[in-house]
Amino acid sequence: MTLKDYNFIITAILLSVVSYAQQTITGKVVAKSTQSPIQDVLIYDKQSGLLTQTNANGSFTFTTEKETLTLAFFTYEFEIEERTINTNTTTNLNIELEDLTQQLSEVQLTARKAEVFQLQRLKDVEETAIYAGKKTEVVLVDQSLANLATNNSRQIYSQVAGLNIFENDDAGLQLNIGGRGLDPNRTSNFNTRQNGYDISADVLGYPESYYTPAAEGLEQIQVIRGAASLQYGTQFGGLINFKTKAPNANKPLELITRNTIGSFGLYTNFTSVSGTKNKFSYYSYFNYKKGDGFRPNSEFESKNIFGHIGYQLSDKTKLEGEVTYMRYLAQQAGGLTDRMFNEDPFQSNRKRNWFQVDWFLYNLKLAHQFSEKTNFTFNFFGLKAQRNALGFRTNRVNQEDANQERDLIKGDFSNFGFESRLLTKYRLFNKDATFLIGTKFYKANNTEQQGPGTAEGNPNFNFATRQYPNYPNQSKYELPNLNVAVFGEHILYLSDKFSVTPGFRFEYIKTESEGFYQNINTDFAGNVIFSETVDTFQNFERSFALLGLGLSYKPSANFETYANISQNYRSITFSDINISNPAFQINPDITDEEGFTADLGIRGNLKNYVSYDANIFGLFYNRRIGFITKDRGDGRIVSERGNIGDAVIYGLESLVDFNLKKVLNLNNDFKLNAFLNTSVITSEYVSSKANAVEGNKVEFVPEFNLKTGVKFGYKNALLNVQYSYLSDQFSDATNSSSQDDLSGVIGLIPAYDVLDVSLSYTYKRFKLETGVNNALDNYYFTRRATGYPGPGIIPSAPRNYYATLQMKF
């Protein structure tokens, strides 16, 4: 279907005026004991999901075509109220909620969150976003019983199927997750957002996420797989949206402080303030981390500040503003060869390598409800950031540091953009329909410079060009990017149970690179025998349309089958072209990747005994970028990054959660759940111009990925035991399993397993959390880094402990 066809359909829909029977339901929610209004009460249709929420006056309004509704009224401070109504006879509701006058036990609170989660899973539409027919997952962070102080991804994402995680950071400073054969490095194959706006360095030119929100400040993590490409961007991985905690709607001030100590000198503090006063609401936190790291030369310090303010301009209009600032400095212990890892996985021969990040984000959001059927949101967002990498780098990672000049790479990121969305619900041919149209503008002005750093051992991120004018790796580039997109999706309910969701995204991308690099050759005495400065300019413009289709069939509130297919696209990044790296070289003909993703799945629950989500997927990847080993013809074997070929990745993902409490008929003082999260994936390069690649496995694809665990609770005590296993995976397209690579970049990532144990206890205002990660003390690694923090094998943490004390006022 052409873009003109879509324009015709969109215009026809917007101009259609169809009469239909519809009821408007209004009401007010108050506290039973005081009769005071309650703000931000979530109101659900138990079959179809969230309908609306109360305003500052406790009032609500929504429209429906259904004759019978079962409504659930939820807020954390009050008992859940359910009400079944006939909309032909009841159009106004007065709801009184019972105060929770006694402190909820941790087990009861977890059960309440789980109940709401079951309601949320069924939503097709939320504010101005469409999720119908998509593979979606929601992580309720507080319910995960994970080590939140260090953003332990293995635990936090334990119930997201098929994720592959780089586990080399014991402080959680950066998130490194991938899946379905996508490189986990800095989550660069997902579109990463915080509260709906972009947070990566450059969405197209450099989509790496150096900033990760503090897990202790998060309410949810929303994961949407490849079909997210239409609404959120072209990435193959989909969307990860970090949703921070909302302001406490029923208190003018709430203070939470958490202090954590742990192995290897770990100390963290998380302090948040939150509240609502009349039309004004706020939420803010400060997060501090420091530690020595589990290897020599791996100390770190991090500071993260987040602030959110909201003002309810009217019942239908709200204005919100957010700022985020993070700064961290980390010493990099460097990578290892296979031989070094086998001798001592925690050794380090790099004392002068450092990494620093400064990240400043801002966002202004306007949300307006034109009517009960039509919502509009507008986000204006931006980033001002810098990342600095400094150290002694060589492709022979076992080589001792010569204590001479270091390699320094500085990246400055300055970008801004806006995204507007309009969603409306209406009737088409006497059936429900929901239409979303949106646009995005994004402009980036980035610079990147590489050259000599000082010979000192401290983190001095100033260039030392005067001292070392003949340093071979010198370059400087300006990297402006422009992206304009128009997107739309449309839910057509062919019946009360079956919906079809077509969608499109039109992209215009302009990527530029202007700068220079130097070629400097010296003899063995250090004398210059050749020197030239090469000016470069590249201008790469492209425009294209992506199409997709989703299907959803819900014969009951407890069962759904869904399917979707969506096109994907990934632009080459400027780091693919401009950076000189001793560990690999770049193919000069490298270009963009494209393909599509398909899902077919079922999800639901069986009488609240078992909940499940299982799907088969296919990822069809053309011109996939990766690494191969090449013989240069002069006796040297090098690693080259470029377009390897076309690949197919397909498999089965499943998550099953067993409510053993109900099976064993335990009372409300108990909680007992077991879960099984598995993925079985196969992959193949179906075509390639490179030698010895066609027919090979795709890198970053463990054929078997298992996470399983048990959560047990009694009154205020909770215990979580989790076991993880991943099978072997390759790090390059030639499927090299050699252990002789001097850089440590190429080779097998062997199978590994990890056991984690967590425990928490709540007493009044206090909560104690403790646990042990990698309880079996296994030695393993998940990553062969091509650049910082390597190059080479980056070991994962041995057995380590932590303890957190939380106080809430």
Side-chain angles (χ1 to χ4, degrees):
M1 183 175 288
T2 66
L3 191 58
K4 289 183 178 179
D5 296 327
Y6 274 100
N7 288 335
F8 175 78
I9 294 172
I10 293 168
T11 304
I13 291 169
L14 291 176
L15 295 177
S16 297
V17 178
V18 184
S19 61
Y20 58 93
Q22 191 175 50
Q23 295 290 351
T24 299
I25 308 299
T26 61
K28 189 171 185 178
V29 181
V30 300
K32 186 174 182 179
S33 58
T34 64
Q35 293 298 302
S36 58
I38 308 175
Q39 182 180 351
D40 292 337
V41 177
L42 301 178
I43 302 168
Y44 292 92
D45 173 355
K46 291 207 67 176
Q47 184 173 14
S48 62
L50 183 67
L51 294 170
T52 187
Q53 65 186 57
T54 59
N55 60 23
N57 299 320
S59 301
F60 66 89
T61 305
F62 66 88
T63 57
T64 182
E65 295 83 43
K66 295 182 179 180
E67 292 187 3
T68 303
L69 282 175
T70 299
L71 302 175
F73 297 82
F74 174 83
T75 183
Y76 285 114
E77 306 294 331
F78 297 84
E79 293 283 3
I80 295 176
E81 175 75 12
E82 290 192 9
R83 187 76 59 88
T84 300
I85 63 170
N86 185 311
T87 60
N88 292 323
T89 58
T90 304
T91 58
N92 185 265
L93 294 170
N94 292 311
I95 305 297
E96 296 181 341
L97 299 185
E98 191 76 41
D99 293 352
L100 292 171
T101 55
Q102 61 182 5
Q103 178 76 23
L104 282 177
S105 74
E106 185 74 5
V107 169
Q108 291 168 327
L109 182 60
T110 302
R112 286 167 61 78
K113 291 178 180 178
E115 183 174 352
V116 176
F117 175 63
Q118 293 300 323
L119 294 170
Q120 289 177 333
R121 286 182 63 184
L122 298 175
K123 287 185 290 184
D124 287 348
V125 175
E126 182 175 344
E127 197 175 42
T128 54
I130 287 178
Y131 302 125
K134 294 178 174 60
K135 167 70 173 176
T136 64
E137 292 146 306
V138 178
V139 177
L140 291 180
V141 178
D142 282 346
Q143 197 177 323
S144 63
L145 292 181
N147 181 2
L148 301 182
T150 61
N151 287 4
N152 188 310
S153 302
R154 188 173 61 243
Q155 292 179 300
I156 293 174
Y157 297 89
S158 64
Q159 296 199 339
V160 178
L163 287 187
N164 191 3
I165 303 171
F166 282 167
E167 301 174 12
N168 57 271
D169 179 359
D170 60 342
L173 299 179
Q174 291 182 13
L175 180 66
N176 294 279
I177 62 174
R180 301 180 174 182
L182 301 175
D183 189 347
N185 183 43
R186 296 194 182 98
T187 320
S188 58
N189 283 284
F190 283 92
N191 181 278
T192 53
R193 299 191 176 200
Q194 176 177 271
N195 296 327
Y197 56 89
D198 292 302
I199 63 174
S200 60
D202 183 329
V203 173
L204 293 169
Y206 197 56
E208 300 192 6
S209 299
Y210 289 96
Y211 157 71
T212 301
E216 292 163 302
L218 296 178
E219 178 183 331
Q220 293 181 2
I221 303 172
Q222 299 167 341
V223 182
I224 307 174
R225 295 306 176 95
S229 62
L230 302 183
Q231 282 188 66
Y232 297 100
T234 61
Q235 293 285 17
F236 280 84
L239 170 77
I240 293 180
N241 182 40
F242 301 101
K243 186 176 179 181
T244 59
K245 292 181 178 178
N248 190 312
N250 300 298
K251 289 182 179 180
L253 175 63
E254 179 185 69
L255 173 67
I256 298 176
T257 182
R258 294 166 54 89
N259 288 278
T260 300
I261 57 173
S263 302
F264 317 117
L266 176 69
Y267 170 73
T268 77
N269 171 267
F270 175 88
T271 301
S272 68
V273 291
S274 171
T276 301
K277 183 68 174 179
N278 298 325
K279 295 183 178 182
F280 176 78
S281 60
Y282 65 95
Y283 176 73
S284 180
Y285 68 72
F286 174 75
N287 185 215
Y288 176 77
K289 298 180 181 180
K290 72 172 183 177
D292 300 325
F294 61 89
R295 298 172 65 195
N297 310 316
S298 56
E299 63 180 89
F300 60 87
E301 184 178 46
S302 169
K303 301 171 184 176
N304 180 201
I305 301 172
F306 171 80
H308 165 99
I309 58 173
Y311 188 77
Q312 193 76 39
L313 297 173
S314 68
D315 289 347
K316 295 186 177 181
T317 307
K318 187 172 185 178
L319 188 65
E320 297 176 323
E322 292 183 359
V323 293
T324 304
Y325 177 69
M326 183 190 69
R327 177 184 176 91
Y328 75 77
L329 175 66
Q331 193 173 10
Q332 309 281 277
L336 308 175
T337 65
D338 290 84
R339 178 170 295 181
M340 294 170 70
F341 179 84
N342 293 330
E343 291 172 352
D344 178 7
F346 306 119
Q347 64 178 293
S348 168
N349 61 356
R350 298 288 180 263
K351 297 182 179 181
R352 303 186 305 138
N353 291 17
W354 297 87
F355 194 80
Q356 183 185 64
V357 169
D358 281 90
W359 221 253
F360 178 73
L361 292 158
Y362 56 89
N363 182 68
L364 184 66
K365 177 182 178 180
L366 174 68
H368 179 70
Q369 188 178 43
F370 286 104
S371 68
E372 292 304 317
K373 299 181 294 178
T374 304
N375 290 324
F376 172 78
T377 56
F378 177 86
N379 278 285
F380 177 79
F381 56 89
L383 168 71
K384 188 71 175 176
Q386 185 179 77
R387 50 87 74 186
N388 300 320
L390 172 69
F392 172 67
R393 296 199 303 163
T394 174
N395 64 336
R396 298 178 63 94
V397 299
N398 61 353
Q399 181 178 337
E400 292 297 326
D401 189 345
N403 293 312
Q404 298 176 354
E405 73 272 27
R406 294 173 289 179
D407 190 66
L408 174 60
I409 304 174
K410 297 173 69 73
D412 289 279
F413 310 102
S414 178
N415 59 58
F416 71 92
F418 65 81
E419 185 175 84
S420 58
R421 293 164 169 258
L422 178 71
L423 183 143
T424 186
K425 299 178 181 180
Y426 68 104
R427 299 279 283 185
L428 181 66
F429 305 120
N430 206 32
K431 297 293 183 182
D432 290 339
T434 301
F435 175 67
L436 166 69
I437 188 74
T439 184
K440 181 178 180 180
F441 174 88
Y442 184 87
K443 184 173 178 59
N445 290 286
N446 305 315
T447 62
E448 188 155 83
Q449 184 174 358
Q450 184 176 15
T454 68
E456 305 165 1
N458 63 345
N460 182 345
F461 297 103
N462 295 311
F463 285 101
T465 309
R466 290 185 178 180
Q467 296 95 310
Y468 307 101
N470 301 324
Y471 185 73
N473 298 330
Q474 297 189 53
S475 63
K476 186 175 183 180
Y477 295 93
E478 293 183 1
L479 303 155
N481 284 326
L482 175 65
N483 176 221
V484 179
V486 178
F487 57 91
E489 293 202 28
H490 195 166
I491 308 178
L492 299 170
Y493 291 96
L494 303 183
S495 71
D496 292 339
K497 300 176 182 179
F498 183 64
S499 67
V500 178
T501 308
F504 76 95
R505 186 179 186 92
F506 177 79
E507 290 272 358
Y508 169 77
I509 303 171
K510 183 179 181 181
T511 304
E512 297 179 81
S513 173
E514 183 175 6
F516 69 87
Y517 66 90
Q518 292 184 310
N519 286 326
I520 301 175
N521 296 332
T522 59
D523 59 22
F524 290 107
N527 300 308
V528 176
I529 57 177
F530 177 79
S531 176
E532 68 171 345
T533 299
V534 181
D535 295 318
T536 67
F537 176 75
Q538 298 181 64
N539 186 347
F540 188 20
E541 288 187 76
R542 56 272 204 209
S543 58
F544 53 89
L546 302 180
L547 303 178
L549 180 69
L551 305 174
S552 174
Y553 177 64
K554 298 178 183 177
S556 71
N558 297 319
F559 177 79
E560 178 187 7
T561 181
Y562 61 91
N564 62 72
I565 183 170
S566 292
Q567 292 177 285
N568 302 97
Y569 186 93
R570 188 174 191 270
S571 170
I572 54 172
T573 68
F574 52 76
S575 63
D576 285 331
I577 302 172
N578 298 325
I579 294 298
S580 175
N581 191 316
F584 63 90
Q585 64 183 24
I586 297 291
N587 187 314
D589 298 322
I590 193 170
T591 189
D592 296 347
E593 306 165 295
E594 63 181 19
F596 65 93
T597 305
D599 287 281
L600 174 64
I602 58 173
R603 55 192 171 205
N605 67 76
L606 300 174
K607 298 181 180 180
N608 293 325
Y609 286 99
V610 179
S611 65
Y612 57 90
D613 189 342
N615 68 287
I616 56 175
F617 74 90
L619 195 158
F620 302 84
Y621 214 131
N622 299 329
R623 302 195 299 268
R624 178 184 171 93
I625 293 175
F627 287 91
I628 59 171
T629 53
K630 294 185 69 173
D631 187 343
R632 293 189 59 173
D634 57 2
R636 288 188 297 164
I637 303 296
V638 298
S639 177
E640 181 182 86
R641 180 173 173 82
N643 299 98
I644 305 302
D646 298 342
V648 176
I649 306 166
Y650 55 93
L652 169 68
E653 300 170 331
S654 66
L655 172 67
V656 183
D657 197 309
F658 302 92
N659 185 357
L660 300 180
K661 171 186 171 180
K662 187 168 184 178
V663 173
L664 300 175
N665 196 28
L666 302 176
N667 63 40
N668 288 333
D669 287 337
F670 290 91
K671 173 183 174 62
L672 184 57
N673 284 77
F675 75 91
L676 182 64
N677 176 352
T678 58
S679 68
V680 181
I681 303 177
T682 188
S683 63
E684 181 182 1
Y685 277 102
V686 294
S687 67
S688 177
K689 294 181 179 180
N691 294 327
V693 170
E694 190 170 320
N696 285 358
K697 302 288 186 182
V698 177
E699 56 270 44
F700 307 117
V701 182
E703 292 188 344
F704 188 66
N705 188 333
L706 166 71
K707 293 182 179 65
T708 185
V710 176
K711 297 179 181 180
F712 173 75
Y714 178 71
K715 293 187 176 179
N716 288 325
L718 289 169
L719 172 68
N720 180 48
V721 179
Q722 177 182 312
Y723 175 79
S724 305
Y725 171 82
L726 270 75
S727 61
D728 293 345
Q729 52 185 300
F730 295 105
S731 62
D732 76 314
T734 54
N735 290 180
S736 172
S737 58
S738 170
Q739 295 193 3
D740 297 326
D741 181 31
L742 296 177
S743 69
V745 170
I746 300 300
L748 193 70
I749 299 176
Y752 64 91
D753 64 319
V754 190
L755 180 69
D756 301 308
V757 181
S758 305
L759 177 68
S760 73
Y761 181 78
T762 303
Y763 178 74
K764 296 183 179 180
R765 300 178 184 269
F766 303 93
K767 183 178 182 180
L768 177 65
E769 301 173 9
T770 187
V772 53
N773 299 317
N774 190 6
L776 301 178
D777 200 23
N778 289 338
Y779 293 171
Y780 68 103
F781 65 91
T782 63
R783 180 179 188 183
R784 293 179 181 268
T786 58
Y788 287 99
I793 291 171
I794 309 298
S796 296
R799 182 189 296 127
N800 60 92
Y801 307 87
Y802 70 94
T804 301
L805 178 63
Q806 172 181 300
M807 294 178 285
K808 184 176 181 179
F809 304 95

